[in-house]
Structures are given as C-alpha cells and as structure tokens.
Amino acid sequence: MDTVFDDGAAAERPFTVEGSLAHGPGVSDDKGGLVAGLAAVEILNRAGREDYAELVFLATPDEEIGSPVSRPLTRRAAEGAHYALALECARENGDLVIARKGVADFRIAVTGRAAHAGIEPERGANAALAAAHLVVAVQALNGRWDGVTVNVGVVRAGSRFNIVCPAAELLVEVRSATDDGMREAVAALRAIAARPAVPGTGAEVEELDSCPPMEDTDASRRMLGRARDIGARLGLAFGAAATGGVGDANTIAGCGVPTLDGLGPVGGADHTPEEWLDTASVPGRVALLAELIADLGDSRGD
C-alpha cells in the first residue's frame, strides 16, 4: 500500500528503530498513517465509541502513481460522507495539512513540415523551434496567479541532424491551490498553444490526467479547530500546512467533502533511504485521530 519503492526494498532495508526513530521503506509515507488508522478504529471499537452512523476505512494501493484504478472507488466512498480524515503522516513539525494543490498533466503535440536542412530548409517548418518558443511561453505563466505553478517536464523533438524537424511534443504539469486558478492556467496554456510562433507549425493540447485541489475552506478550518481543541486536551500543539503534493484527499475534497489531512504520526524524508517516523509521536497522534473521529461522528457536536 502507498509506496514508491521497488520489490525487495524491505528485505534490503528492513524496519529498524534507533532511539525514538523508526526507519524503513514507506515507514512515514504512508505505512505509519495506515497503521495509525487501524489502531484508532480498534481503540474506538474497544471503547464502544460508535456515535457515527458509518465509518469507512479506505486504503488504496496506487496513490503514488495517481490512483488510476482506485480513484472511482474513492469517489463512490465519498458519496454522502460528512467528513474525511486523511492519514498521510503529519509534517515534520507536527502540523496537519489543510490544503493540497490540484494537478493536471498535458501533452502538447507540435506539428511542422519536414525538409532537407541543407538543400531546401525554406520548405520546412521547424517543430523543434516552435516547441522551444512554447517552452519559454509556458514557463512564463509562473507567477501570474497566486498558488499556481506550471512546469514543462519533458521535451522531445526530431530524429536526424539534416532534417527540418517535423514533430515535437511537450509534457506539461499545472498545479493550483484552487479550482479557479487551475481553470485560468489551463485556459492560458491552450491559448499559447493556439498561437504557434513559427509559421507553418501547429500545436494541439491533450489533457492526460487531472486531480482537483484540496482547498483551504471554512469547513476544513472548522475541522482543524476541533482537532486543535482535542490536541490541547492531549498536550499536543500544531498548526496547519498547505502543500503542493497531491494525495487521495484531493479526490475526496473534490467531491465536496470537508477534508483534513496529515493525521498520521510525525515523520519525514519521504521517498528516500533516510525516511523516518518518530515513534514517540504515535500514542498522541493515534489518540488525536480516534478522538477526532468520535467528535466529528457525534451529531450532537454540530
């Protein structure tokens, strides 16, 4: 579940504990959160805390590759939900996550016209040159809107030295903290592609994948307030962080469900051999999660 590591990584680098820090592939992202969720549910069951009408525990195996298979299931699970608590681990300073940027991936296919580069280059239309202009124009979108980033991650063009390049492609990622920002950035991207800088060339934009932002909303802020009240009773103090990373929480928030993330234990250095989890944070964070589930599930508190 939820790992970027290859088969055999756990055998090569098994779970270890040094002092209060646990190490191992995925120990923070997101084995710690998954186990914390299971522990919280077990605690609630043992304590007879069942004020909620229904509690759905959803674990997905493909989040790290964009949840291509599980996303429809996640959307169905979100139907009728009043709240969502996502179990990515807390930030290194203990903060919860109040917002995540949405992301959309695009392929821009640039077409030109081939010609012999030495004998009659004037008959060609260089798609590589058009692609280069597109790269500059697309990257220039950065800074136009707050909370929006645009990145040309891959550029491919041409096959031989002596041919005017007839085709090229760009792979572009857009991230935004809000739906409005995403719409404006995508519209600008399409407008740029519609006006190629090199005569005789054209460009078509294809959306490959998208995931909505988990926005910082009044409803999620109210959830944060309830979490902080519970945390204060447990001796835990924490703030709220916004991140550019995407998770399954984005999908649920995109369905209109108030969402709060980062409710696993404290960890860091995700996706690296140095990944760590602070085991000293586990009791408090599991207690926080369990109490928050019970609190949100008690309709008398609304």
Side-chain angles (χ1 to χ4, degrees):
M1 289 292 174
D2 192 10
T3 187
V4 298
F5 297 101
D6 294 332
D7 290 346
E12 296 172 3
R13 190 161 46 85
F15 178 81
T16 59
V17 180
E18 299 175 7
S20 68
L21 298 185
H23 298 277
V27 68
S28 171
D29 186 21
D30 191 36
K31 312 300 185 189
L34 289 166
V35 175
L38 293 170
V41 171
E42 183 178 356
I43 288 169
L44 289 169
N45 286 338
R46 288 183 177 180
R49 300 288 296 275
E50 298 178 353
D51 295 327
Y52 42 82
E54 182 180 42
L55 179 64
V56 177
F57 186 96
L58 181 65
T60 61
D62 57 349
E63 186 266 353
E64 291 290 0
I65 58 172
S67 305
V69 176
S70 66
R71 193 179 302 167
L73 174 63
T74 300
R75 291 194 182 106
R76 290 198 298 273
E79 293 177 1
H82 293 88
Y83 305 101
L85 302 175
L87 303 180
E88 298 283 354
C89 281
R91 305 299 91 176
E92 292 188 13
N93 64 355
D95 284 354
L96 304 186
V97 176
I98 195 71
R100 290 181 175 275
K101 284 185 176 181
V103 62
D105 297 330
F106 298 89
R107 176 180 180 269
I108 302 179
V110 185
T111 55
R113 187 169 55 251
H116 194 293
I119 299 174
E120 47 187 11
E122 70 281 358
R123 292 193 174 187
N126 198 314
L129 179 58
H133 282 281
L134 280 171
V135 170
V136 174
V138 169
Q139 289 291 147
L141 293 175
N142 285 292
R144 184 177 297 188
W145 308 276
D146 289 339
V148 176
T149 56
V150 183
N151 182 60
V152 180
V154 176
V155 181
R156 301 187 182 99
S159 60
R160 295 179 65 88
F161 292 103
N162 60 350
I163 298 176
V164 175
C165 177
E169 73 169 3
L170 283 64
L171 300 184
V172 182
E173 177 190 83
V174 180
R175 291 184 185 244
S176 174
T178 65
D179 283 323
D180 289 343
M182 181 66 76
R183 281 191 292 269
E184 292 184 24
V186 171
L189 177 70
R190 293 187 183 277
I192 289 170
R195 300 188 300 271
V198 178
T201 64
E204 292 187 0
V205 179
E206 176 189 6
E207 182 174 313
L208 302 177
D209 195 15
S210 65
C211 186
M214 172 185 157
E215 296 195 37
D216 185 339
T217 65
D218 291 342
S220 58
R221 283 283 167 179
R222 287 192 292 271
M223 292 175 68
L224 174 67
R226 292 166 83 160
R228 295 177 87 168
D229 288 344
I230 294 168
R233 297 199 297 270
L234 296 171
L236 301 175
F238 46 81
T243 177
V246 173
D248 285 330
N250 290 65
T251 299
I252 300 171
C255 295
V257 181
T259 304
L260 189 62
D261 200 352
L263 284 156
V266 177
D270 298 352
H271 298 186
T272 75
E274 291 73 39
E275 187 169 1
W276 57 272
L277 183 83
D278 184 0
T279 60
S281 74
V282 171
R285 292 289 164 155
V286 172
L288 170 66
L289 175 59
E291 281 290 342
L292 185 57
I293 293 170
D295 179 72
L296 293 174
D298 184 356
S299 61
R300 294 170 297 178
D302 294 334

